[in-house]
Amino acid sequence: MARYEDADWRESMRIRYDYTHMLADVVGEHRGTTQGQLDEMAGRLTAAIDVLRLRRSPNDLAWMDLPYQKDSIAEILGYAREVEGVYDDVLVLGIGGSALGVTALKSALLPYYANYMSPDVRRHPRLWVLDNVDPGWVMAALRLLDPERTLVIVTSKSGSTTETMAQFLIARGWLQERLGESTACHIVAITDPEQGPLREIAGREGYRTFAVPPGVGGRFSVLSSVGLLPAALVGIDIEELLAGAAYGDELAQAPDLQHNLPGMAAALQHLAYHRGQRISVLMPYSQHLRDLADWWRQLWAESLGKKMSTDGRRLNVGPTPVLALGTTDQHSQIQLYVEGPPDKVISFVAVERFEEEAPLPPARPKEEGIAYLGGHSLAELINAEREATAMALAEAGRPNATYIVPEVNPFTVGQFIYLLEMQTAISGFLYSVNAYDQPGVEAGKVATYALLGRPGYEAQAIELRTTQAARPRHIV
Ligand code: PA5
């Protein structure tokens, strides 16, 4: 029996949320939320949950059902078994929602420095994620790898994203130069099941493919083949990950606000936004969870930053997500958060049990200045610093909350991912925006096509060059 099948174990892995420091009686009437305001939000949570339930279907909010995709899991695990021992490296090409989730899973669930471990310790391929087109960075990665022992996974739901397809052209050429005819065996495409340039190329050239289900948008796709395939290939337990997500789903259905973690977090953030606290910081005190916060940053920004409301009003709304890391950023950002403008809500992520304690040896005689550290551990230190920072912020009237993760494992990571997705979906409802589109990204894409001479974008190219020429503002 898998451990997640045991109800007591699941309960012991439940993520909790401490919002004491969000409340008006702690941080002050103008900075915090009152019980009356929370009572008013309760009805809106019920409405949000009802709407999400209605829209939960394969053609609309299909991400909500990703924890239960038995067929895809069998296909992914089957492929992982098929290629076991064949590759030393898995190279993922993608950007935005097609990359951030993979990186988050890698950082959270592989041992630290896994790529630097010897193959017999690692026992799985190394995982690399290229989500940028900085030429030196891309080429250096290829120089590091051996085409004969590398699997390239190209991930793009649309199958046409400029950066990903440019990387694909380079990686395919790199493989072809060494492998010729057998190049196709070294490429897997994760894309729309039916349409898009990547789907066409994959069909023509005979690549193995996995589908991004049609109702699953990029930034909500980490629990689809987008995140699961690379994760399975490097030995992450994707069944436990999805069991955790299913548990998150169960928790997110609680009808009353006091027991609904994503509902409470969304409501408190929403109320804060309307008090002028428009910057939302997520600050894990765990190196493993740093990239999960980076994944959330995109989820929050692209889902909630919108010009128009769902009923056609101009809003220009959206909290600005910021990623910070404890304790590192205590020596970089906390001065601003405590004394700067009171425009932020800080959400900490606490880990109760770390994989190691790292005890601190006693200091030497004559080292009185650091003697207090002896007998403690790094695990104690990181948690004490988090608590102290939360208290200092509250003392300064700065609202903050803490997600409490019992330990970092596939179950809690899957659960956290699902809870943050639900928090985002409920927030979309509260802000009255469509959390699933990204019209603001289009203008930049069109300008790129125009500048690179894509047929059909000639008029935009002329317009861009004319406007730029008319506004020279260069320091030379
Ligand atoms: O969330 C989104 O939809 C975006 O961030 C996309 O993931 C990103 O633009 C990449 O798109 P695609 O997967 O189509 O290449």
Side-chain angles (χ1 to χ4, degrees), residues 94-99 155-161 164 217-221 298 302 436 438 441 445:
I95 199 163
S98 289
T155 305
S156 174
K157 180 176 162 77
S158 61
S160 61
T161 300
T164 308
R219 57 191 172 275
F220 287 85
S221 69
Q298 184 223 8
E302 278 197 355
Y436 308 100
Q438 53 283 327
V441 184
K445 282 191 183 172

Side-chain angles (χ1 to χ4, degrees), residues 123-442:
R123 294 191 300 118
H124 292 283
R126 298 183 294 185
L127 176 61
W128 312 88
V129 183
L130 292 186
D131 65 349
N132 199 354
V133 285
D134 182 308
W137 192 54
V138 172
M139 299 316 287
L142 296 184
R143 276 194 292 274
L144 199 69
L145 307 180
D146 172 3
E148 309 224 10
R149 302 282 303 163
T150 300
L151 176 70
V152 172
I153 300 182
V154 48
T155 305
S156 174
K157 180 176 162 77
S158 61
S160 61
T161 300
T162 309
E163 293 91 337
T164 308
M165 297 319 287
Q167 288 177 337
F168 162 71
L169 291 176
I170 288 184
R172 183 178 61 182
W174 170 78
L175 289 171
Q176 213 142 25
E177 203 172 293
R178 178 83 79 82
L179 308 174
E181 296 284 281
S182 47
T183 292
C185 310
H186 288 249
I187 302 180
V188 166
I190 305 180
T191 189
D192 185 275
E194 276 164 18
Q195 51 193 17
L198 180 58
R199 173 58 61 180
E200 277 169 38
I201 297 169
R204 221 173 19 248
E205 304 206 350
Y207 304 156
R208 181 71 179 248
T209 59
F210 290 83
V212 189
V216 176
R219 57 191 172 275
F220 287 85
S221 69
V222 55
L223 298 176
S224 74
S225 53
V226 171
L228 299 182
L229 179 68
L233 290 171
V234 295
I236 291 172
D237 185 342
I238 60 171
E239 289 172 298
E240 184 172 304
L241 185 79
L242 291 187
Y247 189 62
D249 181 20
E250 191 185 316
L251 300 180
Q253 301 311 319
D256 78 282
L257 194 56
Q258 298 302 327
H259 295 104
N260 190 308
L261 189 162
M264 178 60 88
L268 287 165
Q269 294 264 348
H270 182 72
L271 291 164
Y273 181 86
H274 287 294
R275 275 195 303 270
Q277 294 152 342
R278 296 187 164 192
I279 297 174
S280 178
V281 180
L282 188 61
M283 188 166 184
Y285 275 65
S286 155
Q287 200 72 33
H288 269 310
L289 297 181
R290 186 218 170 266
D291 292 328
L292 193 75
D294 199 27
W295 161 83
W296 161 85
R297 195 167 63 104
Q298 184 223 8
L299 181 71
W300 200 245
E302 278 197 355
S303 303
L304 303 179
K306 297 289 151 79
K307 178 160 80 175
M308 305 302 287
S309 71
T310 37
D311 57 2
R313 287 169 294 128
R314 189 178 175 127
L315 293 177
N316 294 110
V317 79
T320 301
V322 170
L323 154 66
L325 177 68
T327 65
T328 310
D329 287 328
Q330 282 181 208
H331 300 268
S332 160
Q333 302 296 298
I334 289 296
Q335 169 62 30
L336 172 72
Y337 299 173
V338 173
E339 292 193 352
D343 55 359
K344 299 170 196 66
V345 172
I346 293 97
S347 300
F348 298 107
V349 184
V351 173
E352 285 185 305
R353 284 180 302 284
F354 287 86
E355 68 222 270
E356 296 185 57
E357 279 286 314
L360 296 168
R364 301 208 171 126
K366 299 206 186 121
E367 293 176 339
E368 297 92 20
I370 57 169
Y372 68 96
L373 290 169
H376 293 291
S377 68
L378 290 186
E380 260 182 285
L381 177 60
I382 196 168
N383 273 331
E385 293 210 36
R386 177 189 44 73
E387 264 181 65
T389 306
M391 286 192 284
L393 281 160
E395 208 54 39
R398 309 303 163 116
N400 62 88
T402 305
Y403 298 93
I404 303 160
V405 180
E407 63 185 42
V408 177
N409 62 37
F411 187 85
T412 55
V413 168
Q415 185 188 157
F416 202 17
I417 286 173
Y418 200 90
L419 290 171
L420 290 171
E421 288 178 338
M422 279 299 283
Q423 183 180 329
T424 307
I426 294 169
S427 300
F429 178 86
L430 297 177
Y431 287 101
S432 308
V433 297
N434 177 359
Y436 308 100
D437 65 0
Q438 53 283 327
V441 184
E442 279 312 300

Side-chain angles (χ1 to χ4, degrees), residues 21-89:
H21 296 162
M22 292 296 291
L23 299 177
D25 53 6
V26 176
V27 290
E29 206 181 317
H30 302 297
R31 302 268 174 84
T33 295
T34 62
Q35 190 52 49
Q37 289 169 325
L38 279 182
D39 292 344
E40 276 170 37
M41 290 306 277
R44 298 191 69 190
L45 173 70
T46 316
I49 290 179
D50 285 348
V51 167
L52 290 173
R53 198 172 291 135
L54 282 172
R55 293 188 57 189
R56 185 175 187 150
S57 75
N59 294 322
D60 194 358
L61 304 187
W63 62 267
M64 296 182 77
D65 283 318
L66 288 176
Y68 313 102
Q69 37 169 341
K70 296 249 173 325
D71 292 351
S72 326
I73 289 299
E75 192 191 356
I76 288 167
L77 291 176
Y79 179 73
R81 273 192 299 274
E82 228 177 87
V83 297
E84 206 175 312
V86 175
Y87 300 110
D88 293 335
D89 291 284

